[in-house]
Amino acid sequence: MPRLVRLHVNGQVHEVFTPPHRTLLELLREDLGLTGTKHGCELGECGACTVLVDGRPILACLALAVEVEGAEILTVEGLGRPGNLHPLQEAFMEVGALQCGYCTPGFLLSAKALLDQNPAPSRQEIHEALSGNLCRCTGYLRIVQAVERAAVKAR
Amino acid sequence: MKEFTWISKPYPRVDAEAKVTGRVRYADDLVLPGMLFCKLLRSHLPHARIRRIDTTRARSLPGVLAVLTGKDLPAHKFGILPTSQDQEALCVEKVRYVGDPVAAVAAIDEWTAEQAVRLIEVEYDPLPSYMTIEDALFKEGEPIHAQGNVHKEVSLEFGDVATGFEEADYIREDIFLYHGSAHLPLEEHAAVASYEPGDLLTVWSSTQVPHYLHRTLSKVLDLPMSRIRVIATPVGGGFGGKSDIFNHEIVVAALAMITGRPVKCTLTREEVFYTLRRHPTLMWVRTGVREDGTITAMHFRAILEGGAYGSYGVATTYYVGALQPITYKIPNYRFEGMRVFTNAPPGGPKRGHGTPQPRFALECHLDKIAEDLGMDPVELRRRNLVAPHTKTVNWLRITSCGLAECLKKVVEASRFHEKHRRLPRGRGVGLAVSGYLSGAGLPIYWNDLPHSQVHLQVDRSGSVTLSCGAIDIGQGSNSVLVYTVCEILGVSPEDVRLIVADTAITPIDLGSYSSRVTFMAGNAALQAAQRMRDLIAAAVAEKLGVPAESLIFQGRQVKVGGGEDRALSWREACEVAEARYGLLSATGTYTPPRLAGPYKGSGVGPSPAYSYSACVAEVQVDEETGVVSVEKIWIAHDIGRALNPLLVLGQVEGSVYMGLGEALMEDLSVRQGVIRVPSMLEYKSPTVKEMPEVEAFLIETVDPEGPFGAKECGQGPLLPVPPAIANAIYDAVRVRIDEVPITPEKVLKALERRRKGEEGRFGPGGFPAIRFKEPIRVAPPSPSSAGRVEPRP
Ligand code: FES
Ligand code: FES
């Protein structure tokens, strides 16, 4: 039976009628039109669907929308917008940390969760935080550099 | 030299801001009113005749709008190459691999479509299946295609190999195996179709080849090309995996035509695993050298496991033999290649298209020859390197070639000579070099159209509308187009509106494959921009009464040179020119020079320019576990000119990453037709933790044919990585792993063999005893023609 859920996404409240088995990924992309969150597997294997729930990175393809009711959800659309980018977004652009860009929203949010917790992470800690996100294009080196650069910028 | 404003500068890619803010719309992000969802029913058998398909139950499920089988479609086969028209959108008579589609459903949502697919009943008569190269060649039974299981055979001899071997002081033979791997783009393939009254079909697809999709849709749907519009959406990773035509692209179009509603199909990750893979390739190579290491002859044999359909396989087969001579002078060369059908997902082009496999074989083989001769592997290569502005024995025209500099750079930077054979046991360094095309010299079907065109429209607002058929697959083609035009017109990226890869409104580009886009679309953009500049310059010159040649386009101004400080703003200049000529329009085109040699099969291999790479890998091998960790990679790439160093380095690093994955872990093994691990968790690919430090060097040779002198960088740098790693493993623990991926089990087996006093090697034991057909004998180009660079036609 569909039920009404109230979700706080990027600082706005949305009320959606949804069947209980609907994933957060489906709800974000299909009901709210927030297509910035990507999917590469829908099985919890690629990290492309990473969003933040109360500041913690989760895989939106594995979470049910009903489970995150009431929590603060952040997607790439809420991270920053043209003219007012998050330091991570700027750093990704500047060092060339993206190519096809498909993995980028997931990496940005995993990295944000890390920097919010730990503003001066070591390279090891960055590797740890990003090891659940796959990128097939960049070879990761520039993604790591971008996170380091954003950390310095934010300080 | 002229200072550039936009070229050679590390500006962010033009689509970077849209990508970091989640605003780029990939195919699956598209939603149209009334859109239906499509799912395919795929065969669970590797080889079977279809006896009956019953769709009654599926059709009666509420929410189902249409159920399609092959019989509902016009009976036209398709295939990317004109010579391999062997695929059906939905199989009619038989299925040839696990995953071959037999029916499709359009329903109001994905869930309903999935339910309906389960209600379709198919009765099959299983046929004997062919799972390996040996099966394909020797097993009795009904072949996969009527032509038999040998899809393509190639046999070519350049010069006189027998004499060449007679001249040799030393001859060595080796056998290598390169397993198949997945492209694994992060974005799953997706397509959306919409059909409007008046026979207007629009298909959006995550494709690398919108032009070929356009042609194919016209053929299989019996609809003129003029009624079809294909729009390639930004591609979330391709690597060749989206360069073919896929069943779902045709099926959504057919379903949209039947239902009158838009239809979307997004493949699941499991389905993506079954689309295409790199050809598993078995290779045998024999080389003769003189005492001083110079090569006198080479004989190379390969068998490609082709899977169930042709795909690009004819070209792939030629590619396996074509590029060995572009790095080394091989005076006498013979290539025998064969592609066989098996009941597995089709082999298709993947980054390096048919050349990483032979490059692995060749570079490991040369390393062994150097060892046998007691020669430095660097020196052995140096003695054989091709020279710039020469022709190879198989008639490939080399223009710029920075291979010697690349080699020098990585050898010095890695301190190769201080380390090679000198590091403590368990640690080693290895070397390899390679070369690759900057775009295929010939299109995949015969036509006289330019390979790429760019159209520019400029109006009184100063806005520049740039249109081109090329699609950005992450390689940065949008940025190359925009920065090229900005450089010539003196405008900024904000002034440029970009329209790409829409067959209804953009001029032709053949597609994002064979590393052709920067080179060809870049040249077309350059020409279009120069023509536009000339047009505006003529009008401004007339207005100001100055010679057009004296005008300088820079900083959004058109200035009078020669010390005068008169200038029009870019917008004013555009207005003056539009007043004079009407709306301003200019087109640039690029067609490669005719480069094919005088023999059948010479169409594969020619390119207007070749890029070169050299790589040193340093590894640590754990002899207890067999685990290889790559500590560092040094790579130098002859890029011609780096149009944008940030993007070029990204391509180089991404290639190193993919080469590393293939070298050590990526293995798309198919057992009894089934992919063992169709999931991203179990199909092992490198994560951020496995990525070693990479020191990359760009060598600029300024190619005479490339735009601003540029050459390719998206594929070539992958090639030397697997053999450099294999050679480093030998340096570390003195075992040869002649088979990629080099897994810990293989290393352990080879170590164990060595301990037992056997040959410390893991690799294929033999090469099937097949008699290739008599070769086509080709005389090498005469030395006098060798240095000539032919003018463009
Ligand atoms: S889509 Fe969620 S992890 Fe891949
Ligand atoms: S940029 Fe393409 S997958 Fe990461």
Side-chain angles (χ1 to χ4, degrees), chain B residues 664-684:
Chain B
L664 295 181
M665 58 188 94
E666 297 192 28
D667 183 0
L668 196 72
S669 29
V670 180
R671 301 278 152 84
Q672 297 313 308
V674 177
I675 294 173
R676 297 271 300 291
V677 286
S679 88
M680 293 172 108
L681 209 56
E682 288 166 274
Y683 175 85
K684 280 206 281 169

Side-chain angles (χ1 to χ4, degrees), chain A residues 38-40 99-100 136, chain B residues 19 26 28-29 184 188 269:
Chain A
K38 300 299 174 208
H39 55 83
Q99 291 180 22
C100 80
R136 268 313 250 183
Chain B
K19 283 178 171 172
Y26 300 86
D28 186 53
D29 299 339
L184 206 75
E188 300 124 328
R269 177 52 60 183

Side-chain angles (χ1 to χ4, degrees), chain B residues 19-184:
Chain B
K19 283 178 171 172
V20 297
T21 51
R23 281 157 192 254
V24 171
R25 284 201 196 95
Y26 300 86
D28 186 53
D29 299 339
L30 301 180
V31 177
L32 295 174
M35 190 170 79
L36 303 174
F37 295 82
C38 162
K39 286 279 169 196
L40 298 171
L41 173 66
R42 294 173 181 272
S43 165
H44 65 284
L45 294 172
H47 195 197
R49 221 158 256 296
I50 299 169
R51 198 192 305 151
R52 194 178 67 92
I53 304 179
D54 187 346
T55 58
T56 330
R57 287 176 64 211
R59 279 176 208 278
S60 57
L61 187 74
V64 171
L65 277 287
V67 181
L68 195 67
T69 68
K71 292 207 174 113
D72 305 322
L73 292 166
H76 300 307
K77 296 201 171 187
F78 70 94
I80 192 84
L81 298 187
T83 52
S84 307
Q85 301 289 302
D86 59 3
Q87 273 180 280
E88 293 158 320
L90 296 168
C91 299
V92 178
E93 274 171 13
K94 70 181 211 173
V95 291
R96 296 178 171 87
Y97 70 99
V98 170
D100 224 356
V102 293
V105 171
I108 49 163
D109 54 36
E110 266 187 304
W111 191 81
T112 309
E114 269 163 32
Q115 299 310 305
V117 158
R118 287 200 198 115
L119 296 175
I120 300 172
E121 290 158 29
V122 188
E123 277 174 36
Y124 294 103
D125 288 325
L127 292 165
S129 55
Y130 306 88
M131 295 305 171
T132 60
I133 288 171
E134 285 71 22
D135 281 2
L137 289 172
F138 306 121
K139 192 168 159 180
E140 303 279 329
E142 178 180 319
I144 297 168
H145 292 276
Q147 69 168 101
N149 286 338
V150 174
H151 172 219
K152 178 71 190 174
E153 190 184 339
V154 175
S155 189
L156 292 166
E157 179 164 339
F158 305 95
D160 181 349
V161 170
T163 310
F165 280 119
E166 271 168 31
E167 286 165 11
D169 298 314
Y170 178 71
I171 295 174
R172 184 181 169 103
E173 287 179 19
D174 284 294
I175 301 175
F176 298 91
L177 176 62
Y178 203 107
H179 279 282
S181 57
H183 304 78
L184 206 75

Side-chain angles (χ1 to χ4, degrees), chain B residues 154-165 295-300 317-318 320-326 329-337 391-396 595-606 774-781:
Chain B
V154 175
S155 189
L156 292 166
E157 179 164 339
F158 305 95
D160 181 349
V161 170
T163 310
F165 280 119
I295 297 169
T296 60
M298 184 180 291
H299 186 174
F300 201 100
T317 310
Y318 280 109
V320 171
L323 300 193
Q324 284 83 330
I326 67 166
K329 279 178 266 174
I330 306 172
N332 303 288
Y333 178 56
R334 180 161 175 177
F335 171 63
E336 291 162 317
K391 261 192 184 156
T392 66
V393 72
N394 56 340
W395 291 77
L396 302 181
L595 291 166
Y599 61 94
K600 186 171 182 295
S602 66
V604 175
E774 268 304 295
I776 298 175
R777 291 180 199 282
V778 186

Side-chain angles (χ1 to χ4, degrees), chain B residues 281-620:
Chain B
T281 306
L282 180 63
M283 295 159 288
W284 171 91
V285 54
R286 180 170 197 250
T287 303
V289 293
R290 282 188 229 280
E291 239 168 53
D292 66 356
T294 48
I295 297 169
T296 60
M298 184 180 291
H299 186 174
F300 201 100
R301 285 186 176 143
I303 307 179
L304 292 76
E305 197 215 311
Y309 292 102
S311 181
Y312 285 83
V314 170
T316 319
T317 310
Y318 280 109
Y319 271 129
V320 171
L323 300 193
Q324 284 83 330
I326 67 166
T327 48
Y328 304 116
K329 279 178 266 174
I330 306 172
N332 303 288
Y333 178 56
R334 180 161 175 177
F335 171 63
E336 291 162 317
M338 182 180 277
R339 182 180 191 263
V340 297
F341 289 120
T342 51
N343 294 115
K350 182 184 170 193
R351 213 168 195 170
H353 193 184
T355 72
Q357 300 98 319
R359 185 53 61 180
F360 171 72
L362 178 58
E363 296 296 316
C364 294
H365 176 64
L366 290 181
D367 208 63
K368 297 183 194 191
I369 292 178
E371 171 90 0
D372 295 348
L373 296 179
M375 253 181 101
D376 167 17
V378 181
E379 192 50 36
L380 176 76
R381 287 180 171 83
R382 239 183 236 147
R383 293 205 176 154
N384 289 291
L385 292 186
V386 298
H389 302 291
T390 52
K391 261 192 184 156
T392 66
V393 72
N394 56 340
W395 291 77
L396 302 181
R397 183 200 73 174
I398 313 277
T399 53
S400 59
C401 171
L403 185 51
E405 292 99 299
C406 289
L407 185 58
K408 186 161 183 272
K409 195 85 206 176
V410 289
V411 165
E412 282 174 5
S414 64
R415 296 187 288 123
F416 183 82
H417 287 119
E418 289 165 45
K419 294 176 179 169
H420 189 241
R421 305 291 188 262
R422 297 211 168 104
L423 291 172
R425 197 186 161 90
R427 197 156 182 114
V429 289
L431 167 79
V433 308
S434 64
Y436 197 67
L437 326 165
S438 299
L442 286 115
I444 62 173
Y445 71 99
W446 289 108
N447 74 83
D448 288 327
L449 292 168
H451 289 213
S452 194
Q453 300 186 44
V454 165
H455 179 256
L456 295 177
Q457 180 180 305
V458 172
D459 66 28
R460 61 235 157 260
S461 71
S463 148
V464 180
T465 303
L466 191 176
S467 52
C468 179
I471 179 66
D472 202 317
I473 61 171
Q475 87 281 42
S477 62
N478 286 351
S479 306
V480 166
L481 291 170
V482 170
Y483 290 138
T484 297
V485 167
C486 288
E487 184 65 46
I488 301 300
L489 297 182
V491 298
S492 300
E494 305 88 273
D495 300 318
V496 182
R497 190 187 303 267
L498 189 63
I499 304 176
V500 293
D502 179 337
T503 62
I505 50 177
T506 59
I508 192 172
D509 178 88
L510 292 180
S512 293
Y513 63 92
S514 88
S515 275
R516 50 175 301 288
V517 178
T518 289
F519 203 93
M520 301 198 189
N523 266 323
L526 184 58
Q527 190 183 57
Q530 284 164 341
R531 287 177 174 168
M532 180 58 81
R533 186 188 56 191
D534 291 348
L535 196 62
I536 295 171
V540 172
E542 198 178 276
K543 174 102 178 167
L544 300 182
V546 297
E549 310 79 65
S550 71
L551 296 172
I552 299 163
F553 287 64
Q554 215 174 38
R556 285 174 149 163
Q557 284 191 319
V558 180
K559 300 180 213 167
V560 179
E564 279 201 62
D565 64 355
R566 276 196 295 162
L568 292 186
S569 74
W570 165 252
R571 201 202 57 73
E572 286 164 350
C574 294
E575 194 174 322
V576 165
E578 188 176 347
R580 178 77 178 74
Y581 299 114
L583 189 62
L584 303 164
S585 167
T587 302
T589 65
Y590 181 75
T591 305
R594 285 173 214 282
L595 291 166
Y599 61 94
K600 186 171 182 295
S602 66
V604 175
S607 173
Y610 298 92
S611 74
Y612 288 94
S613 315
C615 175
V616 169
E618 183 163 342
V619 304
Q620 181 75 41

Side-chain angles (χ1 to χ4, degrees), chain B residues 610-666:
Chain B
Y610 298 92
S611 74
Y612 288 94
S613 315
C615 175
V616 169
E618 183 163 342
V619 304
Q620 181 75 41
V621 182
D622 183 331
E623 292 192 68
E624 296 293 304
T625 59
V627 170
V628 176
S629 49
V630 176
E631 302 293 320
K632 184 161 177 180
I633 298 275
W634 293 265
I635 186 152
H637 183 69
D638 166 15
I639 175 68
R641 187 194 299 281
L643 296 187
N644 181 312
L646 201 62
L647 270 67
V648 170
L649 288 169
Q651 289 300 308
V652 172
E653 290 163 9
S655 295
V656 168
Y657 151 85
M658 204 164 267
L660 176 89
E662 292 193 14
L664 295 181
M665 58 188 94
E666 297 192 28

Side-chain angles (χ1 to χ4, degrees), chain A residues 25 38-49 59-62, chain B residues 680:
Chain A
L25 176 72
K38 300 299 174 208
H39 55 83
C41 64
E42 301 192 52
L43 294 166
E45 297 168 349
C46 73
C49 63
L59 299 172
C61 70
L62 295 186
Chain B
M680 293 172 108

